[in-house]
Amino acid sequence: MGQHRFLLYNPRFARARSPGLKHALTLAAACLACALAAAGPAMGSVEPKVVRMAFRTAEAGFDPQRIFDRYSVGVCENLFEPLLTYDYLARPVRLVPLTAEAVPQPEEGGTRYTFRIRPGILFADDPAFKGQKRELVAKDIEYSIKRFRDPRNASPYEWLFEHKVLGLDEFAAAAKKAGRPDYDAKVAGLEVRDRYTISIKLTEPDFNFLYVLAMPNVVPVAREVIEAYGEDTMAHPVGTGPFVLKEWVRRSKIVLERNPNHRGYELDPRWADPADEFDRAAVDALRGKRLPLVDRVEIYPIEEEQPRFLAFVNREHDLLDETPSDFIEQVLPNGRLAPSLARQGVAVFREEAPEITYDVFNVEDAVVGGYGPEKVALRRALVLAHDRGQEIFIVRKGQAMAAQSPLPPGIVGYDPAFRTTQQDHDPARAKALLDLYGYVDRNGDGWRDQPDGRPLAIEYKYNAGSQSNRQLAELWVKSAAAIGVRMEAAAVQFIDLLNDKRVGKFQMAGSAWTADYPDAQNFLQLLYGPNTGQSNEARFRLDAFDRLYRQSVAVPDGPARNALYHEMNRLILAYAPWRLGVHRVFNHLQYPWVKGYKKHPILYTNFKYLDVDVAARKAAAR
């Protein structure tokens, strides 16, 4: 952005009585105005392009190796750049190079992947670089992968590289023993061949490994930046991405501005669908332009659904990500865009999201946990008691479909023909199961007790701030009461809830997972035993499941791997560490002055592909 220049008011001059001086000042001001007009945009006369929107909940911070929530990752997606990414318009999704020169082919039977980084890619300026421009190099990739295994970071995504890269487990073990890692130590599986080339050697074949290297938090960071900011790296993200963090008021406001060091992108229209209106509009708006086009992005975390919705309706925001279900009838009455919005040119993008909601049991909890028949029976009875039909049609206003397995549509490994009755709403079966295993009312107070006679009471934690989440929690309490089980709901702030689940400080809790990459492995790893304390919130540890999971990782996509997935799903249904929820349908709204918008199934925000018609926005305001 160009710098703005202003003629400043000086009270000393205002007191001058000389008409000649007054005339001279007037003439000078007029000349300056003409000069600015003639200079045009280079002098800063063009109004900056700003996108304003809300997040549904608050962020945690912006250290990519330490974050674990969707919204923090969504910001990092614009500040950092992985080796690979996804084409913006291609459906089904397609991997393309970003900081790498090409998408590599697997070598040595799927155990080696070699990348060459594009020369000349610069990090954003930061005091840690002591006034020098800092180029991205292969050692930054090596350093950043090691950070996932640094015990001090307790990375929630450590599982991506645990038991995966040759020698990296030993690096982590040595770091744990010493109390700090030796980042200069050689790791056999991270081979830096020259300034721009890194070759990664895996312990076993993994045909999904390229997806991992396209994740928005598997990105290079600069070692000197991390060391300079110590424990405050969440507030000092420095990457090679198209934007920089300009302002951060925690849980209140996030401001991004264009990175002046960024080399720029161009939209690749090769895989656009000419029959898709959003593809056509994006190509028309962006073809041949150097991206990003937006100067500034303002993000406001607003957990309450009504103020978030009203901020869009009142044109305070340009985009509404995931229209709250409580307002669906106002936005899409009878499935059609409301006339009041249509007259304003508002567009709606309907997305069957590659995600799943689920209610997770803490399998280590003394009441709802365990693998014995009576413990499994309690979880299965609660699953049968829960009225998912009410969830879909009353709470979610029909904007969801019941999950039959952990795998959502559009994900490799999803079986559209699979159906199960084990998660149906059936209170009679639930009561019979509890009776059979001794969960009966022993003291006549109307509530069932545990088989050993102790009271049976369960706490359900949920994300506070959302009316729909409160309704979902109330539905659980009501469903449990219908079979004689006492349950209480506890509202917890989103970030606190994530932390509670991560450390096992809960009995039951609501949860959701959106695809990091488009393969079943990304969802089934949520119940893989070694991922406990990271992504495995249920703390589920079943040898049979873990064995099948490890087998599936080494098998390429096809019938053999799908058979493994089917067996893993059977074990999930049998042991019930989750109550499978729904696959949600989201409706994203945008005003007509926002150009180039198309929601990507995997990537979150894609601000670099947006443009703003400032004149159209101002005309609408008038």
Side-chain angles (χ1 to χ4, degrees):
M1 292 186 294
Q3 291 183 339
H4 295 271
R5 293 177 172 84
F6 300 94
L7 182 63
L8 299 179
Y9 173 82
N10 189 321
R12 272 195 312 116
F13 290 162
R15 289 194 297 269
R17 297 173 183 263
S18 165
L21 178 58
K22 180 178 179 181
H23 175 74
L25 288 172
T26 303
L27 181 61
C31 292
L32 180 57
C34 291
L36 286 172
M43 296 296 290
S45 61
V46 174
E47 184 175 338
K49 297 179 177 182
V50 182
V51 170
R52 300 177 180 90
M53 66 173 295
F55 277 171
R56 293 175 59 210
T57 192
E59 75 298 329
F62 313 113
D63 182 334
Q65 279 84 47
R66 294 171 57 201
I67 56 176
F68 55 99
D69 65 286
R70 169 181 179 173
Y71 302 97
S72 299
V73 172
V75 172
C76 284
E77 182 181 291
N78 300 278
L79 308 176
F80 299 89
E81 295 175 307
L83 289 162
L84 308 175
T85 188
Y86 295 89
D87 181 80
Y88 185 45
L89 302 178
R91 305 292 186 275
V93 297
R94 176 188 290 265
L95 281 176
V96 293
L98 185 53
T99 58
E101 290 185 341
V103 178
Q105 293 298 312
E107 306 168 56
E108 300 174 16
T111 63
R112 183 178 292 280
Y113 295 85
T114 302
F115 295 86
R116 179 169 170 79
I117 297 168
R118 300 175 192 268
I121 295 176
L122 298 177
F123 282 92
D125 292 336
D126 190 85
F129 299 137
K130 304 185 186 307
Q132 302 298 310
K133 294 296 181 184
R134 173 63 155 81
E135 187 183 23
L136 174 67
V137 295
K139 287 194 73 65
D140 297 319
I141 306 295
E142 176 197 35
Y143 173 73
S144 302
I145 291 176
K146 287 178 176 178
R147 287 196 77 225
F148 280 100
R149 302 303 315 279
D150 183 340
R152 298 174 302 176
N153 291 331
S155 175
Y157 276 89
E158 185 176 9
W159 60 271
L160 291 171
F161 298 99
E162 194 172 19
H163 314 312
K164 183 76 60 80
V165 177
L166 190 66
L168 195 55
D169 287 352
E170 290 77 7
F171 167 84
K176 188 173 183 179
K177 183 177 181 180
R180 60 182 297 112
D182 177 5
Y183 278 105
D184 294 315
K186 294 293 184 182
V187 171
L190 297 173
E191 182 185 346
V192 176
R193 294 181 174 174
D194 58 41
R195 182 173 177 82
Y196 301 112
T197 306
I198 185 169
S199 187
I200 303 174
K201 175 67 174 177
L202 307 183
T203 55
E204 297 177 338
D206 185 347
F207 294 95
N208 285 324
F209 190 64
L210 290 179
Y211 288 139
V212 169
L213 298 175
M215 290 173 58
N217 56 327
V218 182
V219 292
V221 296
R223 180 173 178 175
E224 52 265 57
V225 169
I226 300 300
E227 293 179 349
Y229 292 109
E231 293 301 312
D232 200 26
T233 54
M234 287 287 201
H236 294 278
V238 181
T240 66
F243 294 91
V244 297
L245 181 66
K246 183 66 174 180
E247 180 183 353
W248 182 30
V249 182
R250 292 173 188 266
R251 301 191 178 193
S252 179
K253 184 179 181 181
I254 305 163
V255 178
L256 311 181
E257 288 189 357
R258 269 205 288 179
N259 176 6
N261 283 354
H262 197 267
R263 63 204 178 278
Y265 307 103
E266 285 190 16
L267 177 72
D268 187 345
R270 281 181 293 172
W271 294 292
D273 180 358
D276 185 296
E277 61 177 313
F278 284 91
D279 283 24
R280 293 197 306 270
V283 171
D284 289 345
L286 306 178
R287 188 197 296 271
K289 297 180 179 178
R290 203 69 181 158
L291 308 176
L293 297 167
V294 170
D295 297 302
R296 179 179 171 97
V297 179
E298 297 179 2
I299 303 165
Y300 301 89
I302 304 176
E303 296 192 352
E304 288 286 349
E305 293 175 343
Q306 185 180 51
R308 188 168 71 251
F309 178 69
L310 291 177
F312 178 80
V313 171
N314 295 335
R315 299 181 184 171
E316 297 166 22
H317 294 170
D318 308 293
L319 298 169
L320 178 60
D321 193 41
E322 301 174 3
T323 301
S325 56
D326 282 352
F327 299 98
I328 285 296
E329 286 303 316
Q330 296 182 35
V331 173
L332 294 168
N334 301 314
R336 298 177 64 87
L337 186 65
S340 60
L341 296 174
R343 284 193 296 271
Q344 298 178 67
V346 170
V348 57
F349 186 93
R350 185 178 187 275
E351 178 193 19
E352 293 183 3
E355 54 105 71
I356 184 174
T357 69
Y358 54 96
D359 295 292
V360 58
F361 296 94
N362 181 353
V363 184
E364 291 182 352
D365 180 72
V367 177
V368 300
Y371 301 87
E374 76 285 356
K375 299 295 189 178
V376 173
L378 174 60
R379 295 196 297 271
R380 292 182 66 167
L382 289 167
V383 166
L384 292 167
H386 185 255
D387 193 342
R388 191 166 53 177
Q390 282 196 39
E391 173 182 346
I392 293 172
F393 295 107
I394 296 177
V395 181
R396 300 193 185 277
K397 306 297 189 292
Q399 303 300 300
M401 53 185 175
Q404 302 295 322
S405 81
L407 311 182
I411 293 297
V412 176
Y414 170 72
D415 181 0
F418 181 79
R419 293 290 182 273
T420 178
T421 61
Q422 290 172 270
Q423 302 254 329
D424 288 350
H425 178 225
D426 194 337
R429 282 172 60 198
K431 290 177 181 178
L433 200 54
L434 292 174
D435 291 342
L436 179 64
Y437 283 93
Y439 292 94
V440 296
D441 180 7
R442 299 176 185 277
N443 57 12
D445 65 352
W447 298 106
R448 294 178 184 269
D449 298 301
Q450 297 185 59
D452 62 6
R454 288 180 297 171
L456 175 61
I458 300 170
E459 182 184 66
Y460 178 88
K461 288 188 175 182
Y462 68 96
N463 177 15
S466 163
Q467 175 64 23
S468 60
N469 285 339
R470 287 193 291 272
Q471 291 173 332
L472 291 171
E474 290 165 2
L475 177 59
W476 260 112
V477 173
K478 177 183 174 182
S479 296
I483 60 169
V485 174
R486 182 190 287 111
M487 184 179 291
E488 294 183 355
V492 182
Q493 291 298 316
F494 177 68
I495 295 301
D496 297 329
L497 179 60
L498 289 180
N499 285 321
D500 285 351
K501 288 187 289 186
R502 191 176 169 202
V503 300
K505 188 182 172 184
F506 74 102
Q507 288 184 297
M508 286 183 66
S511 203
W513 187 266
T514 299
D516 291 313
Y517 50 87
D519 190 272
Q521 180 194 54
N522 187 231
F523 290 83
L524 294 170
Q525 61 82 22
L526 295 170
L527 290 164
Y528 180 53
N531 290 352
T532 297
Q534 300 176 56
S535 55
N536 182 351
E537 296 171 338
R539 313 180 84 76
F540 182 61
R541 302 172 189 266
L542 189 70
D543 288 343
F545 183 92
D546 293 347
R547 193 162 49 248
L548 291 166
Y549 178 83
R550 287 191 293 270
Q551 290 176 26
S552 71
V553 171
V555 178
D557 177 34
R561 191 173 66 167
N562 288 342
L564 295 172
Y565 290 160
H566 180 85
E567 183 64 15
M568 293 162 74
N569 188 48
R570 188 188 68 79
L571 292 172
I572 293 168
L573 294 171
Y575 283 88
W578 288 0
R579 193 284 185 261
L580 295 174
V582 300
H583 307 305
R584 289 176 288 187
V585 175
F586 292 126
N587 296 278
H588 312 289
L589 305 182
Q590 59 276 175
Y591 281 108
W593 52 80
V594 177
K595 306 296 183 181
Y597 178 88
K598 185 176 183 180
K599 181 66 175 65
H600 194 277
I602 306 299
L603 301 176
Y604 298 153
T605 49
N606 291 296
F607 295 135
K608 70 184 180 185
Y609 291 109
L610 300 183
D611 195 6
V612 175
D613 186 334
V614 175
R617 176 195 269 156
K618 294 174 73 172
R622 290 196 294 269

